[in-house]
Amino acid sequence: MSTKKTSLKDIAQKAGVSTALVSYVLNGKEKESRVGQEIAIKIRQIAAELNYQPNHLAKSLRSGKTHTIGLIIADISNPFFANIARVVEDEAKHNGYTVIIGSSDENADKSRDLLDVLINRQVDGFIIVSSEHSELQIHYLKDKNIPFVLLDRYFPEIQTDFVSTDHYQASYEAGVHLIKNGYRRIGMIAYDSQMFHMQERIRGYLDSFENNKLESKKSWLKQIRITNIENGVKEAIDELMNANEPVDSLLFATYSLAINGLKYINELKLRVPADLGIVSFGQAEVFELYQCPITYLKQPIVLLGKTAVELLVKKLKDNVNEPAQILMKAELIERASSESKPNSSI
Amino acid sequence: MSTKKTSLKDIAQKAGVSTALVSYVLNGKEKESRVGQEIAIKIRQIAAELNYQPNHLAKSLRSGKTHTIGLIIADISNPFFANIARVVEDEAKHNGYTVIIGSSDENADKSRDLLDVLINRQVDGFIIVSSEHSELQIHYLKDKNIPFVLLDRYFPEIQTDFVSTDHYQASYEAGVHLIKNGYRRIGMIAYDSQMFHMQERIRGYLDSFENNKLESKKSWLKQIRITNIENGVKEAIDELMNANEPVDSLLFATYSLAINGLKYINELKLRVPADLGIVSFGQAEVFELYQCPITYLKQPIVLLGKTAVELLVKKLKDNVNEPAQILMKAELIERASSESKPNSSI
DNA sequence: AAAGGAAGCTTAAACGATTAAGCTGACAAG
DNA sequence: CTTGTCAGCTTAATCGTTTAAGCTTCCTTT
């Protein structure tokens, strides 16, 4: 096996022409560059014979384009992000792009590191699920004119392209759904985060009371540290259930919170929905498997991912810069965990 | 914002020296190349001032090394692979490598495409979770002398490096565990695949009967098409449960099979483990959340991933070629789903 | 004083591709 | 016969690095 990759030069030599000519032909520029018919055919044939594969590195070095997209997410081992990654991977490939994925662990420093590594690798652009306190990075990208699209989360005070779920409306819908089904003391477990998407989820929850002329208690909203999920969720549930008047239902703001919460609810031998109605963000097969299938807010993952890639690719190709800001609706998938209360009114 | 990236040339100009000297200094070769103390310091300082970041593409083009690893898995949206991917990503980064992930969907054609794309991108080496019928690809890599390590699955008839779980022993242990706990009519749901790892899982299951002097029925083993998981699993379970003497327990050969099976078992209102004991491959939070926590075989994901990366990096760096073939034990995590039968013997 | 050696640089080719610009020869038009 | 045009090529610079080889000085040694 002669292992040497064949280069333009090899083809040129074999055809008895210059590399320039070969390049023109193989890039389909024979017309513009007035290459002879016969020699063009010959070149193509030799290229095929030698199984020529252009060297991406050389191409990229010259053109400044790597046809690579950097995808920064919180954690690829989280099903929500894994699914996003899959969609982005497929859609990018479809457009001739390769994806490099990096997990930031919701940590601004890590995401900054990732950004640097990937910029260094000359990715053409980014799709980013932002972490808390990463505003500076976004400004940096804007200043440096590096194309990017924010996914699922955005900063309302920064003017950027983004594709996101309408977190407010999703949460609001969840609240209304529970109220409609007769629940009155609805707790919410969310992260203690200033990220806009989390604030929106909380706002939606709170507004669902207000707009239905119900009172809510501050103590029903529990915000826990992302660094202390397991214990945080347990404590939150303990407090909510041991209160004078315990909550009758619970809204989980994320998949991870739900996983931990549901586990603990199992341990406590609480019956769902009899003792506790449940609605959660984040779809997953998991929710179908629980003692009682869980009602959840299904985010339009495929559409989110596809749209983000499309947007980015358009920016990369056309170099256009009309910012696109797209909000998509989540769908409430009703399951048994939030069933109508037996003697419910409204 | 002057957006131009600073290159060696810029530094050289500002320092009034040649680019060669700058390159030597910034690569720490001042000693070998007899660069003057003062000028070295000056160069370093200017590099820092201009925030110099070497151009990966140029480096790679020259050196032939991209410091990139291709990771080919079945599907990033499957938790098992997502976790693998995460570990590989982290470990690779630790070693100065970047990972490009591709999903093959257990399809040899797709994985062949992926391979080509990534070879074209000049990845230095591969970590591969092989698909069925992909032997040719492996031979191709060997012929071309492209370094790779197989992960989790390997071909016994091809001499390669690999890091894998001992699938036989895992399955065997699962069988023995069920038998010990009083189950006698143990079914298995596996893929209809000739892949070695699947065959090993089946062999382990069968041997657990034999070595305990129990008889097994052929009809207890159900192998279903990977392209028809949902219905396949349902039909299999129907057949197993509607037989004259239905099985009293079930071993799922993979995570996906288990997810589908458990869902259906829920629908059938079967009680676990009273009506049906369960053991499954593939850890996941999911299994803790079921109506009754599921006993599972925990593969050493972190170790698998880390070791694969270490092995590959060693091959890439030292260019050594003693093939390493590593088998790791899975751990049986006992939960309620395979509890001792009330009136069990042995 | 001449030769040798080393310290401290520079030069230039190479990696593989792209592309503007230039060169050559044939043919047509005047 | 001269000039112009154009088809059909080649040349050479360029992207940013690396690195073998060569070139000056200057110092040491005999």
Side-chain angles (χ1 to χ4, degrees), chain B residues 42-93:
Chain B
K42 189 172 171 192
I43 287 173
R44 261 188 244 285
Q45 196 203 317
I46 295 180
E49 266 172 32
L50 300 183
N51 186 29
Y52 171 71
Q53 301 291 129
N55 182 321
H56 250 283
L57 292 173
K59 261 187 142 92
S60 298
L61 178 58
R62 182 85 222 283
S63 67
K65 302 276 153 228
T66 54
H67 279 244
T68 304
I69 293 176
L71 172 64
I72 296 186
I73 57 186
D75 179 8
I76 187 72
S77 60
N78 173 316
F80 175 70
F81 296 115
N83 278 288
I84 289 272
R86 182 58 205 269
V87 174
V88 169
E89 180 199 330
D90 285 349
E91 187 68 10
K93 198 169 153 201

Side-chain angles (χ1 to χ4, degrees), chain A residues 248-259:
Chain A
D248 59 10
S249 55
L250 213 43
L251 170 58
F252 288 107
T254 75
Y255 170 80
S256 303
L257 291 169
I259 293 295

Side-chain angles (χ1 to χ4, degrees), chain B residues 104-346:
Chain B
S104 69
D105 287 325
E106 304 277 10
N107 174 332
D109 288 340
K110 281 200 190 179
S111 90
R112 173 74 222 206
D113 280 356
L114 271 173
L115 221 56
D116 286 338
V117 169
L118 295 183
I119 288 175
N120 226 246
R121 293 255 165 182
Q122 324 257 137
V123 301
D124 291 344
F126 287 96
I127 294 178
I128 303 177
V129 179
S130 297
S131 317
E132 199 169 12
H133 311 308
S134 67
E135 289 89 339
L136 272 169
Q137 296 163 34
I138 304 302
H139 282 121
Y140 177 80
L141 292 176
K142 284 187 75 173
D143 285 352
K144 285 268 178 183
N145 249 324
I146 300 174
F148 68 96
V149 173
L150 297 188
L151 185 52
D152 189 51
R153 310 173 179 177
Y154 60 98
F155 302 95
E157 71 278 11
I158 313 181
Q159 170 75 5
T160 63
D161 297 52
F162 63 75
V163 182
S164 170
T165 310
D166 187 339
H167 301 286
Y168 170 82
Q169 107 96 31
S171 214
Y172 181 81
E173 202 170 306
V176 169
H177 164 75
L178 284 167
I179 293 170
K180 250 195 194 138
N181 279 2
Y183 299 88
R184 284 296 172 274
R185 313 178 57 79
I186 307 172
M188 177 176 197
I189 299 189
Y191 285 130
D192 175 21
S193 160
Q194 289 308 309
M195 288 290 290
F196 185 65
H197 74 287
M198 194 50 68
Q199 292 299 319
E200 285 288 280
R201 290 183 185 186
I202 291 170
R203 193 167 65 88
Y205 156 77
L206 293 174
D207 278 10
S208 68
F209 288 100
E210 202 158 311
N211 294 7
N212 284 280
K213 319 235 155 108
L214 290 175
E215 267 190 275
S216 71
K217 281 210 186 176
K218 275 205 174 162
S219 63
W220 292 347
L221 170 63
K222 299 290 183 192
Q223 294 189 254
I224 66 170
R225 291 276 166 78
I226 201 164
T227 46
N228 181 34
I229 299 185
E230 196 169 344
N231 286 318
V233 170
K234 283 188 182 177
E235 284 166 24
I237 291 180
D238 282 340
E239 285 175 32
L240 289 170
M241 298 307 293
N242 296 334
N244 244 350
E245 292 186 284
V247 297
D248 59 10
S249 54
L250 213 43
L251 171 59
F252 288 106
T254 74
Y255 169 80
S256 303
L257 292 170
I259 292 296
N260 282 278
L262 292 173
K263 205 161 159 182
Y264 191 52
I265 289 169
N266 255 355
E267 282 174 27
L268 295 176
K269 311 261 182 214
L270 291 172
R271 287 162 309 151
V272 176
D275 300 332
L276 197 61
I278 304 271
V279 176
S280 175
F281 270 82
Q283 73 263 51
E285 315 125 329
V286 193
F287 292 157
E288 303 277 341
L289 287 180
Y290 202 56
Q291 38 160 306
C292 146
I294 302 292
T295 298
Y296 61 91
L297 291 154
K298 181 179 185 175
Q299 299 188 61
I301 290 196
V302 174
L303 211 54
L304 282 170
K306 274 200 177 191
T307 311
V309 174
E310 272 169 23
L311 232 63
L312 183 59
V313 169
K314 199 190 287 174
K315 288 185 84 170
L316 292 177
K317 288 207 169 135
D318 306 353
N319 226 7
V320 194
N321 227 344
E322 303 149 17
Q325 311 195 322
I326 301 176
L327 274 191
M328 292 178 182
K329 277 205 174 183
E331 188 187 354
L332 184 75
I333 306 291
E334 303 188 20
R335 291 281 182 270
S337 73
S338 59
E339 254 168 9
S340 238
K341 280 257 183 209
N343 29 348
S344 78
S345 60
I346 243 186

Side-chain angles (χ1 to χ4, degrees), chain A residues 27 57 61 76 81 152 181 216 236 240 249 256 261-262 299 303:
Chain A
N27 286 303
L57 293 173
L61 179 58
I76 187 74
F81 296 114
D152 189 51
N181 279 2
S216 70
L240 290 169
S249 55
S256 303
L262 292 173
Q299 298 187 61
L303 211 54

Side-chain angles (χ1 to χ4, degrees), chain A residues 130-187:
Chain A
S130 299
S131 317
E132 199 170 10
H133 310 309
S134 67
E135 289 90 340
L136 272 168
Q137 297 165 33
I138 302 304
H139 280 121
Y140 177 80
L141 291 176
K142 284 189 74 174
D143 285 351
K144 286 266 181 188
N145 248 324
I146 300 172
F148 68 97
V149 172
L150 297 189
L151 185 53
D152 189 51
R153 309 174 181 177
Y154 61 97
F155 301 95
E157 71 277 14
I158 312 181
Q159 169 77 2
T160 64
D161 296 52
F162 63 77
V163 182
S164 170
T165 309
D166 187 338
H167 301 286
Y168 170 82
Q169 106 96 30
S171 214
Y172 181 80
E173 202 169 307
V176 169
H177 164 75
L178 284 168
I179 292 171
K180 247 191 195 142
N181 279 2
Y183 299 88
R184 284 296 172 273
R185 312 177 58 80
I186 306 171

